[in-house]
Amino acid sequence: NIENLLGQLLGERLGRIANLQLTTGDGTGDPNGIVTASTKGKDAAIATAVTYDELIDLVHSVDPAYRQSPKVRFMFNDLTLAALRKLKDGDGSYIWTSGNVQDGVPGSILGYRYSVNQAMDGVATGKKSILFGDFGKYWVRKVGAPTIGVRRETYWPDLGIAAHIFLDGELADTAAVKHLLQP
């Protein structure tokens, strides 16, 4: 069924675009992305690595009231997760715990949940590689339903399909989410 296939493909594409804009948008024509809106919690010492101590400092840069929120978490991309999974504490124990999929217990870092978001930058010079805080303070507003249209003339003799989604995002309290900045 071509209509179902096109609907799924457009929905996935719109979702990826919305995620990118809500993550890194600059607020001028795009939503103010959560990475852009976050405030600095910690400067990393090295441009290409993250240390255990820097993660602890990032966590404690966020007010304790936000650290107790049910929506508190880390956010980073998958390559950053791979690097963090290799970090050990002073006793040689990994700081990442795998959780238990069968019991519905997610993996965690330093006891906090995390989200993998491929729209975030990795660990590199000048990048905000890790976010931590209460993500419930980032508000998203979606206006109406996505619109989908067919464009015959522009792509004649082929057929073009276009879609729009109108949304905005803003961090309601900049103290709620902090980032780690690579030098």
Side-chain angles (χ1 to χ4, degrees), residues 134-158:
D134 180 0
F135 284 76
K137 298 299 179 187
Y138 184 74
W139 297 350
V140 175
R141 179 174 183 250
K142 184 173 105 19
V143 180
T147 56
I148 299 172
V150 176
R151 301 192 63 189
R152 288 181 168 80
E153 293 80 18
T154 305
Y155 299 101
W156 189 88
D158 295 323

Side-chain angles (χ1 to χ4, degrees), residues 39-43 50-69 72-76 84 87 95 108-114 130-135 175-181:
T39 55
K40 184 170 61 174
K42 176 68 177 168
D43 282 314
V50 176
T51 68
Y52 175 67
D53 290 346
E54 290 167 348
L55 287 178
I56 291 172
D57 289 344
L58 178 62
V59 166
H60 287 275
S61 72
V62 173
D63 186 282
Y66 293 124
R67 292 197 314 257
Q68 297 173 13
S69 165
V72 70
R73 66 182 52 244
F74 286 100
M75 184 186 288
F76 36 71
L84 295 178
L87 285 180
I95 66 168
S108 65
I109 294 179
L110 300 177
Y112 293 100
R113 294 173 41 184
Y114 60 86
I130 300 173
L131 295 180
F132 178 79
D134 180 0
F135 284 76
V177 178
K178 306 278 184 142
H179 60 260
L180 178 74
L181 180 64

Side-chain angles (χ1 to χ4, degrees), residues 19-112:
N19 178 56
L20 177 65
Q21 291 179 352
L22 292 170
T23 302
T24 61
D26 62 8
T28 57
D30 294 334
N32 193 17
I34 193 162
V35 173
T36 309
S38 68
T39 55
K40 184 170 61 174
K42 176 68 177 168
D43 282 314
I46 302 171
T48 58
V50 176
T51 68
Y52 175 67
D53 290 346
E54 290 167 348
L55 287 178
I56 291 172
D57 289 344
L58 178 62
V59 166
H60 287 275
S61 72
V62 173
D63 186 282
Y66 293 124
R67 292 197 314 257
Q68 297 173 13
S69 165
K71 295 185 179 179
V72 70
R73 66 182 52 244
F74 286 100
M75 184 186 288
F76 36 71
N77 74 22
D78 192 55
L79 290 176
T80 303
L81 173 60
L84 295 178
R85 287 183 64 182
K86 298 173 188 174
L87 285 180
K88 296 180 182 179
D89 63 16
D91 297 328
S93 300
Y94 288 103
I95 66 168
W96 177 79
T97 55
S98 62
N100 186 328
V101 176
Q102 291 179 336
D103 293 338
V105 178
S108 65
I109 294 179
L110 300 177
Y112 293 100

